[in-house]
Amino acid sequence: EVAQSGKQALEILSEQPHFDLAITDYRMPDMDGMELISKARDLIPALKAVLMTGYDADDPRFAELEAGSLSKPFGLDDLETALRNVC
């Protein structure tokens, strides 16, 4: 399922808590990807996550997040590696 915002993603996850994995961008209009992952794990504690970003992962919250990272631009091999690392 695809969400257009962090708020919409949280609505989907609250209505359909069967998800195992979330892939999100760092920058979004209503919350950043780290906030989304944190709030999503309040709903689904075992949720695996990959954070896509064009920025350095130097935000101190990233170390505590226990999520995979995917630097933009990326290819399918990079995506596969990131998914393998979190799953």
Side-chain angles (χ1 to χ4, degrees):
E1 182 120 8
V2 176
Q4 300 300 315
S5 68
K7 181 180 176 185
Q8 184 183 27
L10 292 173
E11 289 171 5
I12 291 168
L13 292 172
S14 68
E15 294 169 4
Q16 303 174 44
H18 63 275
F19 286 92
D20 298 319
L21 172 72
I23 302 173
T24 184
D25 201 347
Y26 178 79
R27 287 190 60 139
M28 294 184 292
D30 54 354
M31 70 181 74
D32 68 35
M34 286 192 240
E35 184 179 358
L36 171 59
I37 292 169
S38 179
K39 289 182 177 187
R41 285 187 175 150
D42 288 341
L43 299 170
I44 307 172
L47 187 72
K48 307 277 191 242
V50 173
L51 181 70
M52 300 180 297
T53 183
Y55 302 92
D56 290 330
D58 60 357
D59 187 314
R61 297 174 298 159
F62 189 77
E64 301 167 11
L65 197 57
E66 295 183 21
S69 65
L70 195 54
S71 297
K72 295 179 188 176
F74 59 87
L76 288 177
D77 289 340
D78 301 317
L79 176 59
E80 183 178 339
T81 298
L83 294 175
R84 219 181 284 123
N85 287 340
V86 299
C87 292

